[in-house]
Amino acid sequence: MHGCRNKCGGCYRQFNKKEHLVEHMRTSYHSVHEPTCGICNKHCRSFDSLREHLIGPLPKQECKNIFSICGCRFCLTILESPNARRIHQERCQFSNVNYGLTARMAVLGLRDNPTIDYTSSRSPRVVALSCKMVGGGSDGSLDLCARVCITDESENVIFHTYVKPTLPITNYRYETTGIRPENIRDAMPLKQAQRKIKEFLCYGEPMWKIRPRSGKARILVGHGLDSHLDCLQLEYSSFMIRDTAEYPPLMKTSKLSNSLKYLTQAYLGYDIHVGMQDPYEDCVTTMRLYKRMRNQKHKTDAYPLASDTHNTNNYASWRQSELESMSEDELLNLSGSDYYCWCLDSVP
């Protein structure tokens, strides 16, 4: 009985002493933005953790039983009935849509789109970027950008070009990139591609002025964007980056990044990187993942923006006696997220 009184209202961990529960709340950052079981309301740090809770080696049996009948295996939502689940899951899975990518990618392979129309009145607020790298250096292990693609939310190509690196290419990595010397011979120089992309992303706004949820700069979606921007020798505001490799709900339970291939299979329901890899395919996939995360419906959070000091202040040591007298729900209500939830991008 004593242990039950010291149970976390988020993840349901139990503690022998109330002071240990308070310390847990100080560092757990539970919030309305965490992936949550639709059956028992347990908060999980990531969707992988939630998946383990529902269908892992040691699931909660009651939740597993209900999920097996009414749960969507892609978004992990619980539906009202098996029939509702079937209809929902057909919409949730992107396999059938994916077949249309092959033809579009074939067109891209034949024709570049080296201009960006960023003066259009319908200019996109959110774009996805992906590069394909060839090898440089004596052993061919140095990543050099040789192809870049940018798409919008509707999977339209905004920009696509082969890129001529500033250093000599020593390994074209043809088996995965499909890039040959003739693709690079008359390709756009790296500096020119870099300038076009930077102008497009910033949209006339100085880099130092860019802030989240305000201004004209564009939200940039991708997977492992640090390496893509590095190979473009481009810096961009971290406020505007939405990286599926670094977003806590999409990471492993070990807090390491999941591969884009795994995320696509688990959350979208189809395979990518079968044979040669195309940057357009990666752009489409990361944008679909981003939109799935952005479209989640979360309760209104009193503290919507992530702050390292938020939990430190709310669970300050000088409030220890007051905190230890609170109920588990009251303690949970004080907690805030330690990351920016993408659902907030849909808030006007």
Side-chain angles (χ1 to χ4, degrees):
M1 188 70 183
H2 179 68
C4 292
R5 286 203 307 272
N6 299 322
K7 184 172 72 171
C8 172
C11 64
Y12 301 156
R13 276 186 65 187
Q14 296 186 21
F15 299 87
N16 290 330
K17 295 182 178 180
K18 192 66 171 279
E19 64 189 85
H20 296 158
L21 170 60
V22 171
E23 179 56 32
H24 166 76
M25 298 304 300
R26 188 177 285 132
T27 57
S28 63
Y29 297 99
H30 291 312
S31 78
V32 297
H33 299 292
E34 286 181 302
T36 303
C37 176
I39 302 157
C40 71
N41 293 322
K42 178 182 177 180
H43 289 235
C44 298
R45 185 62 183 170
S46 67
F47 282 101
D48 271 10
S49 297
L50 177 56
R51 196 179 293 273
E52 284 186 12
H53 168 76
L54 292 167
I55 54 175
L58 296 170
K60 184 175 179 184
Q61 198 59 46
E62 179 191 357
C63 296
K64 179 184 178 181
N65 293 343
I66 296 173
F67 183 81
S68 66
I69 299 169
C70 296
C72 173
R73 67 188 178 93
F74 302 115
C75 68
L76 308 182
T77 298
I78 308 298
L79 286 306
E80 294 177 358
S81 67
N83 190 49
R85 172 209 190 185
R86 181 183 58 77
I87 295 167
H88 168 91
Q89 204 160 260
E90 285 175 1
R91 289 201 310 263
C92 217
Q93 185 175 15
F94 276 92
S95 298
N96 295 333
V97 181
N98 189 42
Y99 295 133
L101 297 183
T102 309
R104 285 158 129 177
M105 290 192 296
V107 171
L108 283 181
L110 298 172
R111 180 176 53 81
D112 284 1
N113 182 21
T115 59
I116 304 179
D117 178 18
Y118 53 87
T119 57
S120 166
S121 59
R122 293 187 298 169
S123 195
R125 169 72 173 151
V126 183
V127 297
L129 176 145
S130 181
C131 301
K132 286 301 162 193
M133 283 71 142
V134 292
S138 57
D139 62 354
S141 63
L142 181 66
D143 285 340
L144 304 173
C145 178
R147 194 176 178 191
V148 61
C149 183
I150 299 176
T151 62
D152 64 15
E153 288 191 55
S154 301
E155 304 177 5
N156 298 310
V157 177
I158 295 171
F159 179 68
H160 173 269
T161 187
Y162 288 99
V163 176
K164 182 177 284 188
T166 53
L167 296 175
I169 299 171
T170 54
N171 183 357
Y172 282 85
R173 304 174 183 173
Y174 177 77
E175 293 77 13
T176 56
T177 66
I179 296 173
R180 300 178 184 274
E182 54 265 32
N183 299 129
I184 304 300
R185 193 172 298 125
D186 298 316
M188 183 181 291
L190 176 66
K191 292 293 182 187
Q192 185 181 347
Q194 175 201 87
R195 187 180 71 253
K196 282 177 174 285
I197 293 168
K198 185 174 182 179
E199 287 176 358
F200 173 70
L201 293 177
C202 294
Y203 203 20
E205 199 161 14
M207 192 74 74
W208 60 269
K209 222 176 151 184
I210 295 174
R211 290 293 179 270
R213 307 208 300 167
S214 63
K216 296 184 293 183
R218 304 177 203 277
I219 292 171
L220 180 63
V221 175
H223 188 84
L225 277 170
D226 279 352
S227 62
H228 294 264
L229 293 174
D230 280 349
C231 79
L232 286 167
Q233 299 175 18
L234 185 64
E235 290 186 0
Y236 195 51
S237 169
S238 60
F239 292 126
M240 308 305 289
I241 286 176
R242 307 290 183 264
D243 194 331
T244 55
E246 302 293 333
Y247 189 50
L250 291 177
M251 295 177 80
K252 297 179 181 179
T253 53
S254 59
K255 299 185 179 179
L256 297 173
S257 297
N258 274 307
S259 69
L260 185 57
K261 187 178 181 73
Y262 166 78
L263 292 175
T264 308
Q265 289 171 333
Y267 300 103
L268 301 178
Y270 63 90
D271 287 321
I272 60 167
H273 300 166
V274 179
M276 289 181 186
Q277 300 175 15
D278 192 287
Y280 174 72
E281 182 180 47
D282 289 359
C283 284
V284 168
T285 299
T286 53
M287 183 64 82
R288 288 173 176 177
L289 287 166
Y290 165 76
K291 287 165 71 175
R292 177 149 293 175
M293 295 296 106
R294 185 186 65 186
N295 292 342
Q296 290 182 92
K297 306 299 181 188
H298 293 149
K299 295 176 185 175
T300 304
D301 192 349
Y303 312 99
L305 297 180
S307 168
D308 290 335
T309 59
H310 169 72
N311 272 19
T312 305
N313 292 340
N314 271 7
Y315 299 105
S317 55
W318 59 267
R319 297 186 64 187
Q320 190 70 21
S321 296
E322 177 193 357
L323 293 167
E324 289 184 22
S325 68
M326 289 183 177
S327 69
E328 59 186 50
D329 287 339
E330 288 171 333
L331 284 170
L332 181 61
N333 288 338
L334 287 176
S335 185
S337 176
D338 61 343
Y339 62 88
Y340 176 86
C341 183
W342 294 349
C343 78
L344 298 169
D345 285 346
S346 62
V347 177

